[in-house]
Amino acid sequence: NAGVTQTPKFQVLKTGQSMTLQCAQDMNHEYMSWYRQDPGMGLRLIHYSVGAGITDQGEVPNGYNVSRSTTEDFPLRLLSAAPSQTSVYFCASSYSAPRGSGSYEQYFGPGTRLTVT
Amino acid sequence: LAKTTQPISMDSYEGQEVNITCSHNNIATNDYITWYQQFPSQGPRFIIQGYKTKVTNEVASLFIPADRKSSTLSLPRVSLSDTAVYYCLVGYNTNAGKSTFGDGTTLTVKP
């Protein structure tokens, strides 16, 4: 099991450029999420998905798009990069636990460090 | 979504027991409480989860009072390698994608 993998590890973009951050998991998890973490801060939820074909917005969705065509992959697209999007991006996945069990441990990837100049 | 409040930072010494408390006054009936640990330049890692009373695993204990408006993560005999940021999350499994992280508690363990 590779767990949750993210590519690239580092990326530098110029303002206005677009790119896609890749995330994949091999644990057959239904839930997947994208977070950003600014220096010295906690994680903020960008978008999430409860299964293939289903996505929804988190706390800070502006400037980002997602899609979920397969269970395994959940790419995050930056449409037109801005310096305010300089951050570390984490992808996470979790089980679809039986209702009432409360068990939804999230597994996080190693992160992508993005700098927008 | 239940908002959580934790101390910003804590200091401890090797071998001591550390207790980190999290307040979650608007926790919902179905919500579980989950704690994560994050080392620099890494993603958060699950530590422990509970609903009520006490939960213990090989690395920590979680104490939850009857009103569930707070919880305490207990780390026994910490070592330098326990220096990290600890996050408390509150949410229900079907809202896993909506779990929100606060700013966490930075624990520094000194020799």
Side-chain angles (χ1 to χ4, degrees), chain A residues 31-33 35 37 40-45 47-50 56-59 90 94-111 113, chain B residues 1 30-34 36 38-47 49-51 85 87 89-104 106:
Chain A
Y31 295 119
M32 295 187 74
S33 309
Y35 295 86
Q37 185 172 37
M41 308 286 286
L43 284 78
R44 290 185 291 170
L45 183 65
H47 285 285
Y48 68 99
S49 168
V50 298
D56 204 350
Q57 297 180 348
E59 303 171 79
F90 290 102
S94 56
Y95 295 108
S96 174
R99 190 172 184 85
S101 75
S103 175
Y104 60 92
E105 172 186 349
Q106 294 189 71
Y107 295 79
F108 284 81
R113 188 174 297 273
Chain B
L1 296 173
N30 291 334
D31 284 345
Y32 279 67
I33 300 153
T34 312
Y36 287 84
Q38 185 180 28
F39 297 114
S41 301
Q42 294 186 25
R45 184 177 68 129
F46 173 90
I47 300 176
Q49 184 181 76
Y51 182 81
V85 180
Y87 295 98
L89 271 75
V90 174
Y92 182 58
N93 65 336
T94 56
N95 288 325
K98 288 188 173 181
S99 294
T100 55
F101 286 76
D103 290 336
T106 299

Side-chain angles (χ1 to χ4, degrees), chain A residues 72-111:
Chain A
E72 295 77 20
D73 299 299
F74 191 41
L76 177 72
R77 298 184 189 83
L78 278 71
L79 308 174
S80 177
S84 61
Q85 293 179 305
T86 293
S87 190
V88 180
Y89 291 84
F90 290 102
C91 178
S93 72
S94 56
Y95 295 108
S96 174
R99 190 172 184 85
S101 75
S103 175
Y104 60 92
E105 172 186 349
Q106 294 189 71
Y107 295 79
F108 284 81

